């Protein structure tokens, strides 16, 4: 598999190392403002850039029918535009707020627990997310995905990272050096607390999942998620 890396920071380098270990080839390494030179060689593109570059990267790939896997967060106000562009060009696109296999299983656990807890009004739900100090967006895309799932099944109307109203789901955002990513969900009552938690130990889990998604999407057409890749929809 010939891969174009769109974004060549720490995540891009982790993806490169694991991709090479799996026998793949990196044919493009593009920084945020670099040219799209050599993209015609790529079987698939993996985008871990910055919010300002993501839409340009995704648009280029969709318009040129290069399957693309994007893990960049902070640009989702344009997600539906990318879906429309993908469909118009009969291209292939996967966006994931987190490609870690463990996190995607955690998403399913979070969704199941939210459904189960919805009828127990004595419990209030809150979240915490911790990332390294270089993480640009607050809260993380992973935290937003978790929060939206909870909101879908409970009486919470929206999420907030400060001064939450009673109907808001509070996300306590922390930035600490050298923390790849930790996400916790708490259901607390006067007598006890139920907690689920995912702790990433390195970037390798995110990189490995992105490569698995890239291997999966080749030859397909449409808009997909990691649920499709991991066959979790049922």
């Amino acid at each position: 598999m010939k891969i174009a890396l769109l974004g060549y920071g720490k995540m891009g380098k982790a993806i490169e190392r694991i991709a090479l270990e799996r026998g793949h080839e990196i044919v493009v390494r593009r920084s945020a403002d670099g040219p799209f030179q050599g993209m015609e060689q790529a079987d698939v593109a993996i985008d871990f850039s910055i919010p300002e570059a993501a839409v340009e990267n995704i648009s280029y790939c969709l318009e040129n029918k290069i399957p693309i896997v994007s893990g960049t967060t902070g640009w989702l106000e344009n997600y539906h535009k990318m879906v429309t562009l993908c469909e118009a060009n009969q291209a292939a696109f996967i966006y994931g707020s987190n490609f870690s296999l463990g996190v995607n299983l955690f998403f399913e656990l979070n969704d199941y627990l939210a459904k189960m807890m919805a009828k127990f009004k004595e419990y209030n739900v809150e979240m915490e997310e911790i990332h390294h100090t270089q993480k640009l967006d607050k809260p993380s895309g992973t935290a937003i995905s978790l929060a939206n799932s909870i909101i879908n099944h409970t009486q919470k109307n929206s999420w907030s990272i400060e001064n939450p109203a009673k109907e808001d789901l509070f996300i306590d955002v922390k930035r600490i050096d050298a923390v790849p990513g930790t996400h916790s969900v708490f259901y607390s009552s006067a007598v006890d607390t139920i907690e689920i938690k995912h702790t990433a130990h390195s970037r390798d889990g995110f990189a490995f999942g992105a490569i698995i998604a890239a291997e999966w999407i080749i030859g397909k057409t449409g808009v997909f998620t990691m649920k499709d890749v991991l066959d979790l929809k049922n």
Side-chain angles (χ1 to χ4, degrees), residues 122-124 187-194:
E122 58 267 46
Y123 285 89
N124 181 56
Y187 289 86
S188 299
S189 73
V191 296
D192 60 10
T193 297
I194 300 168

Side-chain angles (χ1 to χ4, degrees), residues 33-63:
D33 55 354
F36 287 103
Q37 189 172 351
M39 290 292 291
E40 68 281 355
Q41 303 175 61
D43 299 315
V44 65
I46 302 178
D47 167 58
F48 274 87
S49 55
I50 58 175
E52 294 76 16
V55 172
E56 180 184 20
N57 288 340
I58 297 165
S59 297
Y60 179 92
C61 290
L62 297 178
E63 288 166 355

Side-chain angles (χ1 to χ4, degrees), residues 173-225:
V173 176
K174 298 177 180 177
R175 294 290 176 261
I176 301 173
D177 284 339
V179 176
T182 300
H183 296 85
S184 303
V185 180
F186 309 92
Y187 289 86
S188 299
S189 73
V191 296
D192 60 10
T193 297
I194 300 168
E195 175 185 353
I196 58 172
K197 181 178 183 179
H198 180 274
T199 302
H201 301 307
S202 75
R203 290 182 175 85
D204 284 6
F206 313 135
F208 177 72
I211 294 165
I212 293 296
E215 292 171 349
W216 181 89
I217 199 174
I218 290 177
K220 295 181 174 65
T221 301
V223 178
F224 306 100
T225 70

Side-chain angles (χ1 to χ4, degrees), residues 27-148:
V27 294
V28 174
R29 299 167 183 84
R30 181 181 186 264
S31 59
D33 55 354
F36 287 103
Q37 189 172 351
M39 290 292 291
E40 68 281 355
Q41 303 175 61
D43 299 315
V44 65
I46 302 178
D47 167 58
F48 274 87
S49 55
I50 58 175
E52 294 76 16
V55 172
E56 180 184 20
N57 288 340
I58 297 165
S59 297
Y60 179 92
C61 290
L62 297 178
E63 288 166 355
N64 289 277
K65 293 194 174 184
I66 301 168
I68 180 163
V69 171
S70 177
T72 305
T73 59
W75 62 273
L76 288 188
E77 67 276 7
N78 290 302
Y79 176 75
H80 293 295
K81 292 181 183 177
M82 297 301 98
V83 169
T84 300
L85 187 62
C86 180
E87 292 170 346
N89 287 281
Q90 295 185 312
F93 174 41
I94 295 176
Y95 165 74
S97 60
N98 193 314
F99 281 94
S100 160
L101 306 188
V103 164
N104 281 278
L105 296 173
F106 188 65
F107 284 154
E108 295 300 298
L109 177 61
N110 174 65
D111 191 67
Y112 183 82
L113 182 59
K115 291 176 185 176
M116 188 167 60
M117 295 300 294
K119 62 183 178 181
F120 296 103
K121 309 304 180 188
E122 58 267 46
Y123 285 89
N124 181 56
V125 58
E126 293 185 340
M127 291 175 52
E128 177 186 76
E129 68 105 330
I130 309 172
H131 275 90
H132 51 85
T133 52
Q134 295 176 328
K135 178 74 170 170
L136 298 178
D137 48 325
K138 296 183 181 181
S140 67
T142 301
I144 292 172
S145 294
L146 290 165
N148 286 339

